[in-house]
Amino acid sequence: MMDGASRPPAAESAYDILRSRILSGDLGPGERLVEQSLAKDLGLSRTPVREAIRRLLHEGFVEKGQGYSTRVADFHDEELAQLFEIRRRLECYAAGRAAKMATPDEVALLRKLSDEMAAHTPPANQEDYDIISTANTEFHRTLYEAARSPRLTALITSAVDVGVVARTYHSYSPADLERSARHHTEIVDAVEAQAPEWAESVMSSHVLAAAASAFQGRKDAQDG
């Protein structure tokens, strides 16, 4: 698979636009993605659109429909609840291990990322949101690395659907984002203090709050 540096600009552009439209709800759950129509809409050929859809499929934003069709992924409440519970258990374990094994450089990076999220919360514009989202992803990745368990990292990567996490994070209210920022700061405090039980407790609250926000977002969308 091509990395970001080697991926053709047209494919990267198609990916960014389609991902943004899925996150915003412009392309809703279950909506079919027709290459020809999307290519015409984006002013591109079908090849970069096909590459973008393939990437979105791999990341969980898109799922296969009947035959060769693809559609925006949807998740039933029970499936979503399971995903968050699996994520909670794995990330709590990762946080606990990180509190025992993180290096000073890793703690410093976690602190830098948590401070960056806090500085842009609540977001005043899309740029702030993008900064928070990127820092959040790097924060959790750094925490996994600090846990010193490649097997655990592999389990989290396979079990935690990045598409679901990104979409639920995108729907956070300003209050949700402020609470999330506080959780990140306290997780760093716990890791720095080498207090695994504290780190696990805060991470549990962090993921449970994320789940509550996700379900509230679904409810609001259905009511609307």
Side-chain angles (χ1 to χ4, degrees):
M1 179 179 292
M2 294 179 291
D3 59 25
S6 59
R7 187 174 289 114
E12 190 71 20
S13 176
Y15 167 80
D16 288 340
I17 294 171
L18 292 178
R19 182 178 183 274
S20 177
R21 290 176 64 181
I22 291 172
L23 288 172
S24 69
D26 183 42
L27 290 171
E31 187 167 344
R32 287 191 62 195
L33 299 178
V34 181
E35 286 181 13
Q36 186 172 358
S37 298
L38 290 171
K40 183 178 180 180
D41 185 39
L42 299 178
L44 299 169
S45 70
R46 292 178 64 175
T47 299
V49 172
R50 186 179 301 117
E51 169 63 24
I53 291 175
R54 187 180 298 117
R55 184 176 171 190
L56 291 164
L57 181 67
H58 175 73
E59 294 180 350
F61 290 96
V62 172
E63 62 187 8
K64 290 183 177 180
Q66 295 182 342
Y68 294 99
S69 68
T70 54
R71 62 190 181 191
V72 177
D74 192 12
F75 296 86
H76 299 296
D77 285 355
E78 175 60 23
E79 186 178 3
L80 191 63
Q82 289 182 35
L83 185 147
F84 274 106
E85 179 58 15
I86 292 168
R87 177 187 168 193
R88 187 184 70 82
R89 296 188 183 205
L90 291 175
E91 293 214 55
C92 284
Y93 184 50
R97 285 183 61 86
K100 294 184 285 187
M101 301 181 181
T103 66
D105 284 346
E106 286 169 333
V107 173
L109 177 55
L110 289 168
R111 180 71 68 189
K112 173 181 175 293
L113 292 167
S114 68
D115 287 348
E116 187 173 16
M117 284 184 273
H120 292 272
T121 302
N125 49 47
Q126 184 61 40
E127 182 180 1
D128 281 345
Y129 172 81
D130 290 341
I131 290 171
I132 293 168
S133 183
T134 299
N136 176 69
T137 299
E138 188 175 352
F139 181 96
H140 286 269
R141 184 184 299 119
T142 301
L143 198 70
Y144 307 154
E145 292 173 356
R148 299 291 180 275
S149 175
R151 185 180 299 274
L152 175 60
T153 300
L155 282 171
I156 293 175
T157 302
S158 64
V160 179
D161 191 301
V162 67
V164 177
V165 174
R167 270 185 285 172
T168 55
Y169 198 71
H170 189 86
S171 65
Y172 276 17
S173 69
D176 291 334
L177 289 170
E178 289 175 349
R179 180 178 56 241
S180 178
R182 290 194 299 271
H183 284 158
H184 285 111
T185 298
E186 191 172 357
I187 288 169
V188 183
D189 291 341
V191 171
E192 188 172 38
Q194 298 183 321
E197 290 185 359
W198 181 13
E200 291 177 16
S201 176
V202 182
M203 180 60 79
S204 181
S205 296
H206 182 59
V207 178
L208 288 171
S213 297
F215 280 107
Q216 184 61 49
R218 287 169 76 92
K219 182 178 182 300
D220 291 344
Q222 291 166 359
D223 292 345

